[in-house]
Amino acid sequence: MVTDGPRPPTRTATRAGGRPTTIRSLATYVPPRLLTNADLERMVETSDEWILKRTGIRERHIVDPGVATSDLGQVAAVKAIERAGLTPADIGVVIVGTVTPDMLFPSTACLIQHKIGAPHAWGFDLSAACSAFTYSLTVASQFVGSGAHDHALVVGADVMSSIIDYQDRSTCVLFGDGAGAVVVSAAAEGDGCIIDFEHEIDGSGGPALCMPAGGSLRPPSHETIDQRMHYVKQDGATVFKFAVRKTEEIARRVLDRNRLTANDIDLFVSHQANRRIIQSAAEKLGVDEKKVIINIERFGNTTAATIPLALNDAVCSGRLKKGDLVLLASVGAGFTVGAVLLRWGF
């Protein structure tokens, strides 16, 4: 559905069909322990100046040994459900976007469902790397929009420190740990609304950002461990160019379909991978820098958690208010690409 005016109506879901859906609540959690650029200077050949200039990161939160993705997700999930005025028994489906599950199976969704005590929920993990939150949000909106469930819990959480090689200065400076959760519910009159979405994948980019071992292709062995293949490997230049181009393209596609321009957007929330990627994509899209949220300096790249962490900062700082038109965008390993257009509901 396309609107006649320059801005879409509050309760119309462009591509979702069925009943309108909304983000009813938001909560985040990061572990208290900090890993600063000064700490990294003592671990690898790098400097605070180099990290800041190339990435925009000053510090990142890192879990203590034995703390898993489900632990971070549990905290965010419980807070999100409480803020929605619900109980875990009201949740119909749990979708966990993560690339660092506690284990290959059972799913982290199963673990979180059990930890929060959601007796009526089913669920699953969604692996889309840095696009996991936008993908999971879209899937949750479809379930609720179809009438299958009244309330869905979306968790974006990653313990990236568990798969980072702290001898590799090109990757260890980039990532942190964190979690964010939202409750997606059927929208009532006057609520915000998830309006539209667009996603794509390009598997040809897989080798540019991956963890080579640990799956069925290269099960753990002395060889894979000795070659440090159980850590993130990245072709930084390839990823950077793809991310800038595709962030702009996917965002513009959603705006064009809804007869909108960058000027109509109140807040642009891109995946927080690199300050220069966000700024370059926003500039190409034509978004005023005052409408762009960047908080990577405090968290680093937390993969599936970056967008909810950014949304939370925007709410807390007063930059995101009820009725605002918000555009989310992400690019991740795979390659995965995603965008979600929504009107904020609280």
Side-chain angles (χ1 to χ4, degrees), residues 70-85:
S70 67
D71 296 318
L72 305 187
Q74 175 190 7
V75 178
V78 168
K79 289 194 292 184
I81 294 170
E82 290 177 351
R83 289 175 180 176

Side-chain angles (χ1 to χ4, degrees), residues 61-265:
H61 292 254
I62 302 295
V63 300
D64 289 326
V67 177
T69 295
S70 67
D71 296 318
L72 305 187
Q74 175 190 7
V75 178
V78 168
K79 289 194 292 184
I81 294 170
E82 290 177 351
R83 289 175 180 176
L86 303 172
T87 71
D90 296 311
I91 301 300
V93 59
V94 177
I95 304 171
V96 178
T98 187
V99 77
T100 56
D102 287 25
M103 57 199 77
L104 286 177
F105 62 90
S107 71
T108 304
C110 287
L111 302 177
I112 290 177
Q113 177 268 342
H114 176 67
K115 287 182 177 183
I116 67 175
H120 308 304
W122 68 290
F124 53 90
D125 291 357
L126 194 158
S127 178
C130 297
S131 293
F133 182 79
T134 56
Y135 279 35
S136 298
L137 180 61
T138 297
V139 173
S141 178
Q142 301 299 294
F143 278 123
V144 175
S146 72
H149 300 289
D150 290 330
H151 308 289
L153 175 68
V154 174
V155 179
D158 274 299
V159 176
M160 292 304 294
S161 60
S162 66
I163 58 171
I164 296 302
D165 186 352
Y166 286 97
Q167 297 180 21
D168 179 3
R169 70 172 187 168
S170 67
T171 57
C172 72
V173 303
L174 301 176
F175 295 94
D177 304 334
V182 298
V183 172
V184 176
S185 301
E189 189 69 39
D191 285 347
C193 181
I194 297 172
I195 298 165
D196 200 0
F197 66 91
E198 183 74 17
H199 301 297
E200 64 177 79
I201 59 174
D202 181 356
S204 68
L209 182 53
C210 64
M211 189 176 78
S216 60
L217 176 62
R218 297 186 182 92
S221 65
H222 283 296
E223 180 183 7
T224 62
I225 293 172
D226 290 345
Q227 294 182 13
R228 309 185 74 80
M229 298 174 71
H230 296 265
Y231 297 118
V232 172
K233 307 295 182 183
Q234 175 174 268
D235 177 348
T238 298
V239 173
F240 185 96
K241 293 176 183 177
F242 184 89
V244 171
R245 176 169 61 88
K246 281 298 183 178
T247 298
E248 187 263 339
E249 285 182 5
I250 201 82
R252 189 175 300 282
R253 201 177 306 162
V254 172
L255 291 177
D256 288 348
R257 186 164 58 234
N258 289 273
R259 296 183 181 177
L260 296 168
T261 71
N263 292 331
D264 295 310
I265 299 300

